[in-house]
Amino acid sequence: MTSHPVATATERGESFVLNWTNITFFAVFHLLALLAPWFFSWSALGVAILLHWLFGSIGICLGYHRLLTHRSLQLPKGLEYAVAVIGALALQGGPIFWVSGHRRHHLDTEDINKDPYSARRGFWWSHMLWLFYKRPEFFGYEAYRHYAPDLDRDRFYRWLDRYFLLLQIPLGVGLYLLGGWSFVVYGVFVRAVLLWHSTWLINSATHITGYRTHNSDDNSRNLWWAAILTYGEGWHNNHHAYPNVAKAGWQWWEIDMTWWAIVLLQRLGLARRVVLPPS
């Protein structure tokens, strides 16, 4: 994969400029999630947990990450598109943006300039602050599309990358029809905030603490509680050592719920060419 000629702000000797659009967006979602106690019901909480798993494990971990970024398995194209839509509903960016950023993370892991969420800038930078600045080399479509050319060639993925935010409208309407505002508060805002911070822990916590099974050229770690919150992604040292392997948890105690879904798809004859750990 060739690097794109757009230089980083640090390489150009510039200071970062705050992105108030992103800051406002994340602030509004966090504030609306705080309404949860006034809209609580057990069914609404159940919706939040269900969608956290569906959008997080199936959409992000299986779809955006193991399928689209690393091509650790193959699915029929229609099912691949469906899983990508589920990933887009997680509100973590369009597929081309997400895949590009993660490929760059692997290409220059922890490089303070080239890794979008380099852990060398500190926990809070890699956790969320990287999203709060205008960095066209990472957030500009003309820059990031070069790191996901396979997706950029696909008209559907270009559409999904551009309009993924609009998917929250039918989601919100559907939740309101099913359970009123409590379902909307928990199914959209509480779920989004919890899923964001779960996913961001992989960028932050698993590059700071945990155990190392493999001597990868970075500080990636296996962190059990992060793996539970992210359906297997917390076995991050395993992943960085063998990024194209579909199974993140290698030992019997390394619980990997996303891998269970891949095994089910494989037994149904839907998942093919699943990349396994080396023997």
Side-chain angles (χ1 to χ4, degrees):
M1 184 181 297
T2 59
S3 60
H4 190 256
V6 175
T8 66
T10 302
E11 291 170 333
R12 294 193 302 267
E14 301 173 4
S15 59
F16 294 147
V17 177
L18 288 170
N19 186 330
W20 287 105
T21 300
N22 282 11
I23 292 171
T24 302
F25 175 82
F26 286 109
V28 167
F29 265 72
H30 280 74
L31 288 172
L32 290 174
L34 293 177
L35 295 173
W38 290 273
F39 289 89
F40 176 81
S41 71
W42 288 108
S43 56
L45 179 61
V47 166
I49 294 171
L50 174 64
L51 294 184
H52 186 285
W53 165 78
L54 180 63
F55 297 167
S57 180
I58 305 303
I60 296 296
C61 302
L62 194 161
Y64 271 21
H65 189 203
R66 305 188 198 189
L67 175 63
L68 297 183
T69 302
H70 297 294
R71 296 297 179 181
S72 302
L73 66 152
Q74 287 185 357
L75 297 179
K77 185 58 72 172
L79 181 57
E80 177 184 306
Y81 285 163
V83 171
V85 169
I86 295 172
L89 283 163
L91 270 181
Q92 296 186 12
I96 302 176
F97 165 78
W98 201 103
V99 168
S100 166
H102 194 69
R103 286 178 179 174
R104 296 187 75 170
H105 170 66
H106 277 274
L107 189 64
D108 296 294
T109 304
E110 296 169 358
D111 185 287
I112 203 165
N113 295 320
K114 297 177 181 178
D115 183 345
Y117 27 86
S118 172
R120 288 176 59 197
R121 289 186 180 272
F123 175 89
W124 286 108
W125 174 269
S126 57
H127 191 74
M128 63 188 298
L129 291 182
W130 68 279
L131 293 163
F132 294 168
Y133 293 89
K134 293 181 179 180
R135 306 179 74 193
E137 66 271 23
F138 297 129
F139 295 105
Y141 174 73
E142 289 303 319
Y144 69 67
R145 71 185 183 93
H146 290 273
Y147 291 86
D150 49 331
L151 301 186
D152 190 51
R153 287 191 294 266
D154 190 309
R155 181 180 300 177
F156 175 77
Y157 286 125
R158 291 197 303 272
W159 176 87
L160 189 59
D161 195 75
R162 185 172 183 178
Y163 297 111
F164 75 95
L165 276 174
L166 296 180
L167 296 177
Q168 297 301 305
I169 297 174
L171 173 65
V173 170
L175 288 170
Y176 180 79
L177 294 175
L178 286 172
W181 286 113
S182 64
F183 274 32
V184 174
V185 169
Y186 275 82
V188 175
F189 301 107
V190 173
R191 178 270 310 166
V193 169
L194 292 178
L195 185 53
W196 283 337
H197 286 282
S198 300
T199 304
W200 295 341
L201 283 169
I202 306 305
N203 302 338
S204 55
T206 63
H207 280 266
I208 295 175
T209 185
Y211 64 90
R212 289 171 59 82
T213 302
H214 309 281
N215 292 320
S216 57
D217 295 329
D218 51 57
N219 199 41
S220 59
R221 307 285 175 138
N222 291 326
L223 189 58
W224 68 269
W225 53 266
I228 292 173
L229 292 173
T230 57
Y231 309 101
E233 300 296 273
W235 310 118
H236 205 49
N237 178 242
N238 295 346
H239 174 61
H240 267 267
Y242 296 91
N244 294 328
V245 169
K247 186 178 184 181
W250 290 22
Q251 304 299 328
W252 66 266
W253 67 84
E254 295 177 340
I255 297 173
D256 183 359
M257 290 182 64
T258 302
W259 171 248
W260 301 347
I262 293 172
V263 170
L264 176 61
L265 290 170
Q266 194 174 28
R267 290 179 177 175
L268 292 173
L270 296 172
R272 300 174 55 250
R273 297 187 179 182
V274 177
V275 181
L276 299 175
S279 58

